[in-house]
Amino acid sequence: DAKTTQPTSMDCAEGRAANLPCNHSTISGNEYVYWYRQIHSQGPQYIIHGLKNNETNEMASLIITEDRKSSTLILPHATLRDTAVYYCIRSGSARQLTFGSGTQLTVLP
Amino acid sequence: EPEVTQTPSHQVTQMGQEVILRCVPISNHLYFYWYRQILGQKVEFLVSFYNNEISEKSEIFDDQFSVERPDGSNFTLKIRSTKLEDSAMYFCASSEGFYSQETQYFGPGTRLLVL
């Protein structure tokens, strides 16, 4: 039970922003929201994480709703290399990440 | 940028043989993990390790599996007697700390094929 809900797949045009939603309506107060991605069968790549506030790094932005029940990962200018499966994961403990099926993002030329 | 490395990248073995998968975690990290991903399925947690002890393990991590930190840099996963269903990608990860805000960084994986 991944405890997050994500769309199975999304498309995005190259150069446009990709907005990937995640629902985590039962998240508890001490759980962080983590985003990873996996390109083909490579190792999951860390993207960003947050608790309450919006976060931004060189890869992406993370917008968390005020009630923390959902979040959106934003890739501001998607490229073909961003085609991957994106996982939204709740992390109450860093010891055991529970991966769901994620969202297959396809960036189209 | 520091990264987790894993060797070998591919391993083919016969059913019943022992295999050892090796990982070099990021140098200042203290917590280590193994995950696996059977082809077409989700990434699954196997075990976490700290201070030379297993911290948590999943029900997948049965007596056929063991982990070890044989020296100051390597972290290994041993499968004693491989089965066909052990064929999977095996990912090592490490984190600096053990709390929910401590990010786990993954290696590129070892593809294990059991014939």
Side-chain angles (χ1 to χ4, degrees), chain B residues 17-83:
Chain B
Q17 294 297 303
E18 175 184 285
V19 294
I20 297 176
L21 309 183
R22 291 183 168 79
C23 167
V24 178
I26 294 172
S27 62
N28 65 329
H29 285 188
L30 300 177
Y31 301 88
F32 316 116
Y33 316 83
W34 284 101
Y35 292 77
R36 80 169 186 192
Q37 185 176 32
I38 295 170
L39 185 65
Q41 298 188 23
K42 299 175 185 178
V43 177
E44 301 173 289
F45 169 79
L46 291 178
V47 66
S48 60
F49 189 87
Y50 167 69
N51 199 26
N52 283 318
E53 287 186 351
I54 290 174
S55 299
E56 289 184 338
K57 60 182 182 179
S58 71
E59 57 187 28
I60 303 168
F61 194 87
D62 62 22
D63 292 343
Q64 293 298 314
F65 292 91
S66 62
V67 289
E68 191 180 27
R69 186 144 162 90
D71 54 43
S73 58
N74 288 285
F75 178 51
T76 62
L77 174 70
K78 181 192 292 186
I79 310 175
R80 269 182 263 284
S81 177
T82 50
K83 306 172 194 163

Side-chain angles (χ1 to χ4, degrees), chain A:
Chain A
D1 178 12
K3 303 183 216 172
T4 63
T5 304
Q6 299 178 253
T8 303
S9 63
M10 295 182 65
D11 292 339
C12 175
E14 189 178 18
R16 304 298 293 268
N19 296 279
L20 291 93
C22 178
N23 182 290
H24 32 79
S25 58
T26 60
I27 197 167
S28 56
N30 64 344
E31 288 184 305
Y32 282 72
V33 178
Y34 272 82
W35 285 82
Y36 284 81
R37 72 182 182 183
Q38 190 176 26
I39 298 171
H40 298 299
S41 294
Q42 296 176 24
Q45 180 188 21
Y46 166 74
I47 301 172
I48 199 167
H49 72 284
L51 183 64
K52 290 189 227 181
N53 300 321
N54 298 336
E55 302 288 344
T56 295
N57 63 19
E58 64 279 2
M59 287 184 70
S61 294
L62 174 61
I63 308 298
I64 303 174
T65 58
E66 196 168 334
D67 62 9
R68 302 213 321 125
K69 292 185 177 182
S70 65
S71 60
T72 301
L73 178 75
I74 301 172
L75 307 178
H77 305 286
T79 71
L80 299 178
R81 287 177 293 182
D82 292 322
T83 293
V85 179
Y86 287 77
Y87 300 101
C88 168
I89 301 171
R90 289 161 52 171
S91 178
S93 160
R95 290 169 286 183
Q96 185 175 143
L97 295 179
T98 301
F99 287 78
S101 301
T103 296
Q104 171 67 60
L105 175 69
T106 302
V107 181
L108 303 170

